Every structure is written in structure tokens, then in C-alpha cells.
Amino acid sequence: MEAVRTWAFSICAAMAACGIALQLMPKSNLTGVFKLVVSVFFLCCLLSPVLLRIPEGRLWLPEYSAEIAEEKAARLEEVMEKQTRISAEQAAQKIIADKLRQMGINYHSIAININTNGQSETRAVAVIILDRSLEPQHEALKRRIEQSLEMDVDLGYTEGEWQYGGD
């Protein structure tokens, strides 16, 4: 805050000095040049906080510590992972829906559970909710869908209310 007060005082002092100098200057051919010099001087005073910090490499940029930068990077990475996961789940749901339609199987909903165990292992399971009337064909449907999708499938059944069944 003290720096702002000092800067404001220097602006006021420069303005007063420039005004007095212009009043004391006799009218001559050099008046235009003198006004230009006074204007440049006042502009330098006005911009002094920025101009004086350039050699130090500090341009009023906020100072970030490594901890803050790492925290922001971690949050950004988390958001990107979440967005990637959502996009992958939506793409997988669309592919599964298309395959089920091709197989002539009507479904109520499709969910994708993606489990990651550390960085090396990722396992996706499709949870498909079918009509309760298809439950007697559970094992045959499950094998057929898993072969078509080439992934693990968990089948559930519903009729009106949400009811989960299957494996």
C-alpha cells in the first residue's frame, strides 16, 4: 500500500512541476519541444512502477509457489481424467447400443463401469438392463453379448421399477 501512496505522490509532484515549468517557460520556438519533453517526463512518472520492475524481471505478475502450481496441475489432471472417462463411457454406450440393436435385443439402459487398479490395469464392465421377460435366457444372452462386444457384461432385469439382477 505504501508503494501506491509513493507512486501517487510522485504523479502529483510531477504534474505540479510540469505545470510550473510550462508557466515559467518563455514563449519561443522551443516551446513545442519543451512541451514534448515535459509530456514524456510525465508519462515516465506515470509508468514508473512498470518500468522500474522490468530489469528485476517482475512485471506485477502474481507470485506462485511450487505448491500452488502443483495443486492446480493436479486439479487440472483430475478434471481431464474425469472428462476423458465420461467421453469414453459415452462412446462405449453408443457402440453397445448399436450392437444390441443389430442383435435385435431391446434394452432399458446401459452403464459402463471402468475400474482402474493403479496405472497398469483397467477393466471395463458393461451393465445392461433388459426387460424381465428375457431373464430365462440369461446365460445364453450373456455369452452372446460378451462375444459380440468382446468385454465383460453384467445383465440386469427390470419391469417398471428399478430392479437389479443377473450375476
Side-chain angles (χ1 to χ4, degrees), residues 19 28-29 37 39 44 59 83 88-89 91 98 103 120 122 126 144 151:
S28 70
N29 294 340
V37 170
S39 298
C44 288
L59 280 176
Q83 291 296 329
E89 287 174 0
D98 291 343
M103 295 169 66
S120 61
T122 301
R144 187 174 159 209
M151 70 183 295

Side-chain angles (χ1 to χ4, degrees), residues 99-100 103 105 123-126 128 138-155 167:
K99 290 247 185 189
L100 289 174
M103 295 169 66
I105 299 172
R123 183 172 177 260
V125 177
I128 303 170
H138 175 79
E139 289 303 319
L141 273 174
K142 181 174 172 146
R143 268 192 312 277
R144 187 174 159 209
I145 293 171
E146 283 181 340
Q147 286 175 351
S148 176
L149 298 176
E150 298 177 2
M151 70 183 295
D152 293 333
V153 174
D154 190 10
L155 298 180
D167 295 349

Side-chain angles (χ1 to χ4, degrees), residues 63-76:
E63 295 180 19
Y64 290 108
S65 66
E67 295 86 23
I68 293 172
E70 288 174 12
E71 180 183 321
K72 288 186 178 196
R75 281 190 294 199
L76 179 62

Side-chain angles (χ1 to χ4, degrees), residues 10-83:
S10 67
I11 295 294
C12 292
M15 194 177 343
C18 291
I20 291 171
L22 285 173
Q23 291 299 321
L24 295 176
M25 175 75 182
K27 304 290 182 220
S28 70
N29 294 340
L30 297 176
T31 304
V33 173
F34 185 73
K35 285 183 179 182
L36 178 66
V37 170
V38 168
S39 298
V40 170
F41 170 72
F42 184 73
L43 185 62
C44 288
C45 290
L46 190 63
L47 298 175
S48 65
V50 174
L51 296 175
L52 293 177
R53 290 187 181 187
I54 288 176
E56 299 172 19
R58 296 172 27 209
L59 280 176
W60 282 1
L61 297 175
E63 295 180 19
Y64 290 108
S65 66
E67 295 86 23
I68 293 172
E70 288 174 12
E71 180 183 321
K72 288 186 178 196
R75 281 190 294 199
L76 179 62
E77 184 178 349
E78 195 176 297
V79 168
M80 289 176 63
E81 284 176 6
K82 183 178 179 182
Q83 291 296 329

Side-chain angles (χ1 to χ4, degrees), residues 104-160:
I105 299 172
N106 294 325
Y107 63 91
H108 286 281
S109 64
I110 300 170
I112 308 296
N113 292 332
I114 300 174
N115 301 316
T116 54
N117 298 344
Q119 296 292 332
S120 61
E121 188 179 326
T122 301
R123 183 172 177 260
V125 177
V127 179
I128 303 170
I129 307 301
L130 304 171
D131 191 79
R132 173 102 28 221
S133 65
L134 297 173
E135 191 170 13
Q137 306 165 20
H138 175 79
E139 289 303 319
L141 273 174
K142 181 174 172 146
R143 268 192 312 277
R144 187 174 159 209
I145 293 171
E146 283 181 340
Q147 286 175 351
S148 176
L149 298 176
E150 298 177 2
M151 70 183 295
D152 293 333
V153 174
D154 190 10
L155 298 180
Y157 302 94
T158 186
E159 50 183 311

